[in-house]
Short mmCIF file of all heavy atoms in Angstrom, two decimals:
data_model
loop_
_atom_site.label_atom_id
_atom_site.label_comp_id
_atom_site.label_asym_id
_atom_site.label_seq_id
_atom_site.Cartn_x
_atom_site.Cartn_y
_atom_site.Cartn_z
N TRP M 1 -0.91 -8.99 20.51
CA TRP M 1 -0.62 -8.06 19.42
C TRP M 1 -1.20 -8.49 18.07
O TRP M 1 -0.82 -7.94 17.04
CB TRP M 1 0.90 -7.84 19.26
CG TRP M 1 1.54 -7.40 20.53
CD1 TRP M 1 2.39 -8.13 21.32
CD2 TRP M 1 1.36 -6.15 21.20
NE1 TRP M 1 2.76 -7.40 22.42
CE2 TRP M 1 2.15 -6.18 22.38
CE3 TRP M 1 0.62 -5.01 20.92
CZ2 TRP M 1 2.22 -5.12 23.27
CZ3 TRP M 1 0.70 -3.95 21.80
CH2 TRP M 1 1.49 -4.02 22.95
N ASN M 2 -2.14 -9.43 18.09
CA ASN M 2 -2.76 -9.84 16.83
C ASN M 2 -3.55 -8.69 16.21
O ASN M 2 -3.45 -8.42 15.02
CB ASN M 2 -3.68 -11.04 17.06
CG ASN M 2 -2.89 -12.31 17.31
OD1 ASN M 2 -1.77 -12.46 16.84
ND2 ASN M 2 -3.46 -13.23 18.07
N LEU M 3 -4.35 -8.02 17.04
CA LEU M 3 -5.18 -6.92 16.54
C LEU M 3 -4.30 -5.78 16.03
O LEU M 3 -4.56 -5.23 14.95
CB LEU M 3 -6.10 -6.42 17.65
CG LEU M 3 -6.97 -5.21 17.30
CD1 LEU M 3 -7.92 -5.55 16.15
CD2 LEU M 3 -7.75 -4.72 18.51
N HIS M 4 -3.27 -5.43 16.77
CA HIS M 4 -2.41 -4.32 16.34
C HIS M 4 -1.73 -4.63 15.01
O HIS M 4 -1.65 -3.78 14.12
CB HIS M 4 -1.35 -4.04 17.41
CG HIS M 4 -0.45 -2.90 17.07
ND1 HIS M 4 -0.84 -1.58 17.13
CD2 HIS M 4 0.84 -2.88 16.63
CE1 HIS M 4 0.16 -0.79 16.75
NE2 HIS M 4 1.19 -1.57 16.45
N LEU M 5 -1.23 -5.88 14.88
CA LEU M 5 -0.56 -6.26 13.63
C LEU M 5 -1.52 -6.16 12.44
O LEU M 5 -1.16 -5.63 11.38
CB LEU M 5 0.00 -7.67 13.76
CG LEU M 5 0.78 -8.19 12.54
CD1 LEU M 5 2.02 -7.34 12.31
CD2 LEU M 5 1.16 -9.65 12.72
N GLU M 6 -2.73 -6.65 12.61
CA GLU M 6 -3.71 -6.59 11.51
C GLU M 6 -4.07 -5.15 11.17
O GLU M 6 -4.22 -4.80 9.99
CB GLU M 6 -4.96 -7.38 11.89
CG GLU M 6 -4.74 -8.89 11.94
CD GLU M 6 -6.02 -9.64 12.26
OE1 GLU M 6 -7.08 -8.98 12.33
OE2 GLU M 6 -5.95 -10.86 12.43
N GLN M 7 -4.18 -4.31 12.20
CA GLN M 7 -4.56 -2.92 11.96
C GLN M 7 -3.46 -2.17 11.20
O GLN M 7 -3.74 -1.46 10.23
CB GLN M 7 -4.85 -2.23 13.29
CG GLN M 7 -6.11 -2.70 13.98
CD GLN M 7 -7.37 -2.28 13.25
OE1 GLN M 7 -7.41 -1.24 12.58
NE2 GLN M 7 -8.42 -3.08 13.37
N VAL M 8 -2.20 -2.33 11.63
CA VAL M 8 -1.13 -1.58 10.97
C VAL M 8 -0.88 -2.10 9.56
O VAL M 8 -0.61 -1.31 8.64
CB VAL M 8 0.17 -1.61 11.80
CG1 VAL M 8 -0.03 -0.93 13.14
CG2 VAL M 8 0.69 -3.02 11.99
N ILE M 9 -0.99 -3.41 9.36
CA ILE M 9 -0.82 -3.95 8.01
C ILE M 9 -1.96 -3.48 7.11
O ILE M 9 -1.74 -3.13 5.94
CB ILE M 9 -0.74 -5.48 8.04
CG1 ILE M 9 0.58 -5.94 8.66
CG2 ILE M 9 -0.88 -6.07 6.64
CD1 ILE M 9 0.75 -7.42 8.77
N GLY M 10 -3.18 -3.44 7.67
CA GLY M 10 -4.32 -2.94 6.89
C GLY M 10 -4.14 -1.49 6.49
O GLY M 10 -4.38 -1.12 5.33
N LYS M 11 -3.68 -0.65 7.41
CA LYS M 11 -3.47 0.77 7.10
C LYS M 11 -2.35 0.95 6.07
O LYS M 11 -2.47 1.76 5.15
CB LYS M 11 -3.13 1.54 8.37
CG LYS M 11 -4.32 1.76 9.29
CD LYS M 11 -3.92 2.62 10.47
CE LYS M 11 -5.13 2.89 11.38
NZ LYS M 11 -4.76 3.72 12.53
N ALA M 12 -1.28 0.19 6.23
CA ALA M 12 -0.17 0.30 5.29
C ALA M 12 -0.59 -0.18 3.90
O ALA M 12 -0.22 0.43 2.88
CB ALA M 12 1.02 -0.51 5.80
N THR M 13 -1.36 -1.26 3.86
CA THR M 13 -1.83 -1.78 2.56
C THR M 13 -2.76 -0.77 1.89
O THR M 13 -2.66 -0.53 0.67
CB THR M 13 -2.56 -3.11 2.75
OG1 THR M 13 -1.69 -4.03 3.43
CG2 THR M 13 -2.96 -3.71 1.41
N ASN M 14 -3.64 -0.16 2.66
CA ASN M 14 -4.54 0.86 2.10
C ASN M 14 -3.75 2.04 1.55
O ASN M 14 -4.07 2.58 0.48
CB ASN M 14 -5.52 1.35 3.18
CG ASN M 14 -6.54 0.30 3.54
OD1 ASN M 14 -6.79 -0.63 2.76
ND2 ASN M 14 -7.13 0.41 4.71
N ALA M 15 -2.71 2.45 2.30
CA ALA M 15 -1.88 3.57 1.81
C ALA M 15 -1.20 3.21 0.50
O ALA M 15 -1.10 4.04 -0.42
CB ALA M 15 -0.84 3.94 2.87
N LEU M 16 -0.76 1.95 0.39
CA LEU M 16 -0.10 1.51 -0.84
C LEU M 16 -1.08 1.45 -2.00
O LEU M 16 -0.78 1.85 -3.13
CB LEU M 16 0.55 0.15 -0.62
CG LEU M 16 1.54 -0.33 -1.68
CD1 LEU M 16 2.67 0.67 -1.87
CD2 LEU M 16 2.11 -1.68 -1.31
N TRP M 17 -2.31 0.97 -1.73
CA TRP M 17 -3.31 0.89 -2.80
C TRP M 17 -3.78 2.27 -3.24
O TRP M 17 -4.10 2.49 -4.41
CB TRP M 17 -4.49 0.05 -2.34
CG TRP M 17 -4.26 -1.42 -2.48
CD1 TRP M 17 -4.07 -2.33 -1.50
CD2 TRP M 17 -4.16 -2.15 -3.72
NE1 TRP M 17 -3.86 -3.58 -2.02
CE2 TRP M 17 -3.92 -3.50 -3.38
CE3 TRP M 17 -4.26 -1.79 -5.06
CZ2 TRP M 17 -3.76 -4.50 -4.35
CZ3 TRP M 17 -4.11 -2.79 -6.01
CH2 TRP M 17 -3.86 -4.11 -5.66
N ILE M 18 -3.84 3.21 -2.29
CA ILE M 18 -4.19 4.58 -2.67
C ILE M 18 -3.11 5.16 -3.59
O ILE M 18 -3.39 5.82 -4.59
CB ILE M 18 -4.37 5.46 -1.42
CG1 ILE M 18 -5.64 5.04 -0.66
CG2 ILE M 18 -4.44 6.93 -1.78
CD1 ILE M 18 -5.81 5.71 0.67
N SER M 19 -1.84 4.88 -3.25
CA SER M 19 -0.74 5.35 -4.10
C SER M 19 -0.77 4.67 -5.46
O SER M 19 -0.30 5.24 -6.45
CB SER M 19 0.60 5.07 -3.41
OG SER M 19 0.65 5.68 -2.14
N LYS M 20 -1.33 3.47 -5.51
CA LYS M 20 -1.33 2.71 -6.76
C LYS M 20 -2.18 3.36 -7.84
O LYS M 20 -2.08 3.00 -9.02
CB LYS M 20 -1.84 1.29 -6.47
CG LYS M 20 -1.15 0.22 -7.30
CD LYS M 20 -1.41 -1.14 -6.72
CE LYS M 20 -1.08 -2.24 -7.70
NZ LYS M 20 0.10 -2.05 -8.48
N LYS M 21 -3.00 4.33 -7.46
CA LYS M 21 -3.77 5.07 -8.46
C LYS M 21 -2.86 5.92 -9.35
O LYS M 21 -3.29 6.36 -10.42
CB LYS M 21 -4.80 5.97 -7.77
CG LYS M 21 -5.87 5.20 -7.01
CD LYS M 21 -6.84 6.15 -6.33
CE LYS M 21 -7.93 5.39 -5.57
NZ LYS M 21 -8.86 6.30 -4.89
N THR M 22 -1.64 6.15 -8.88
CA THR M 22 -0.73 7.00 -9.65
C THR M 22 0.23 6.21 -10.52
O THR M 22 1.07 6.80 -11.19
CB THR M 22 0.10 7.88 -8.68
OG1 THR M 22 0.88 7.03 -7.82
CG2 THR M 22 -0.81 8.75 -7.83
N PHE M 23 0.14 4.88 -10.51
CA PHE M 23 1.04 4.09 -11.36
C PHE M 23 0.41 2.74 -11.64
O PHE M 23 -0.46 2.26 -10.92
CB PHE M 23 2.41 3.91 -10.70
CG PHE M 23 2.37 3.21 -9.36
CD1 PHE M 23 2.36 1.83 -9.27
CD2 PHE M 23 2.34 3.96 -8.19
CE1 PHE M 23 2.33 1.20 -8.05
CE2 PHE M 23 2.30 3.32 -6.96
CZ PHE M 23 2.29 1.95 -6.89
N GLY M 24 0.85 2.14 -12.74
CA GLY M 24 0.45 0.80 -13.10
C GLY M 24 1.69 -0.04 -13.36
O GLY M 24 2.80 0.35 -13.01
N LYS M 25 1.49 -1.17 -14.03
CA LYS M 25 2.62 -2.05 -14.28
C LYS M 25 3.59 -1.45 -15.30
O LYS M 25 4.80 -1.66 -15.21
CB LYS M 25 2.11 -3.40 -14.76
CG LYS M 25 3.17 -4.48 -14.79
CD LYS M 25 2.57 -5.83 -15.00
CE LYS M 25 3.64 -6.91 -14.92
NZ LYS M 25 3.11 -8.27 -15.09
N LYS M 26 3.06 -0.71 -16.26
CA LYS M 26 3.90 -0.16 -17.33
C LYS M 26 3.83 1.36 -17.42
O LYS M 26 4.41 1.94 -18.32
CB LYS M 26 3.48 -0.75 -18.68
CG LYS M 26 3.49 -2.27 -18.75
CD LYS M 26 4.88 -2.83 -18.79
CE LYS M 26 4.86 -4.34 -18.98
NZ LYS M 26 6.22 -4.91 -19.02
N TRP M 27 3.11 2.02 -16.51
CA TRP M 27 2.93 3.46 -16.65
C TRP M 27 2.94 4.10 -15.24
O TRP M 27 2.90 3.41 -14.23
CB TRP M 27 1.61 3.79 -17.34
CG TRP M 27 0.41 3.23 -16.62
CD1 TRP M 27 -0.15 2.00 -16.80
CD2 TRP M 27 -0.34 3.86 -15.58
NE1 TRP M 27 -1.20 1.82 -15.95
CE2 TRP M 27 -1.36 2.94 -15.19
CE3 TRP M 27 -0.29 5.09 -14.94
CZ2 TRP M 27 -2.29 3.23 -14.19
CZ3 TRP M 27 -1.21 5.39 -13.94
CH2 TRP M 27 -2.20 4.47 -13.58
N GLY M 28 2.95 5.42 -15.24
CA GLY M 28 2.81 6.17 -13.99
C GLY M 28 4.13 6.62 -13.41
O GLY M 28 5.11 6.86 -14.12
N LEU M 29 4.15 6.76 -12.10
CA LEU M 29 5.33 7.25 -11.40
C LEU M 29 6.55 6.38 -11.69
O LEU M 29 6.42 5.18 -11.91
CB LEU M 29 5.07 7.27 -9.89
CG LEU M 29 4.02 8.25 -9.37
CD1 LEU M 29 3.83 8.07 -7.87
CD2 LEU M 29 4.40 9.69 -9.68
N LYS M 30 7.72 6.99 -11.62
CA LYS M 30 8.95 6.26 -11.83
C LYS M 30 9.19 5.30 -10.66
O LYS M 30 8.77 5.56 -9.53
CB LYS M 30 10.13 7.23 -11.97
CG LYS M 30 10.06 8.09 -13.23
CD LYS M 30 11.28 8.99 -13.32
CE LYS M 30 11.26 9.81 -14.60
NZ LYS M 30 12.43 10.71 -14.72
N PRO M 31 9.90 4.19 -10.92
CA PRO M 31 10.18 3.24 -9.83
C PRO M 31 10.86 3.88 -8.62
O PRO M 31 10.59 3.50 -7.49
CB PRO M 31 11.10 2.22 -10.51
CG PRO M 31 10.73 2.28 -11.95
CD PRO M 31 10.37 3.70 -12.22
N LYS M 32 11.74 4.85 -8.88
CA LYS M 32 12.43 5.51 -7.79
C LYS M 32 11.45 6.20 -6.86
O LYS M 32 11.61 6.19 -5.64
CB LYS M 32 13.43 6.52 -8.36
CG LYS M 32 14.31 7.19 -7.32
CD LYS M 32 15.31 8.11 -7.99
CE LYS M 32 16.21 8.78 -6.95
NZ LYS M 32 17.20 9.68 -7.60
#
């Protein structure tokens, strides 16, 4: 399951980084 773990973590990280375009450390979407 090494390959599967790397693939799902990579996809989840990419999804989080794509969402990160909508917020920064002090601006953007609300924490909630």
Side-chain angles (χ1 to χ4, degrees):
W1 306 110
N2 287 332
L3 176 62
H4 181 74
L5 182 63
E6 290 183 6
Q7 290 291 330
V8 296
I9 289 179
K11 286 184 178 180
T13 304
N14 289 339
L16 193 57
W17 278 109
I18 290 172
S19 303
K20 216 164 163 41
K21 295 179 180 179
T22 61
F23 59 85
K25 191 168 184 179
K26 304 287 185 180
W27 58 271
L29 294 176
K30 293 182 178 179
K32 185 177 180 180

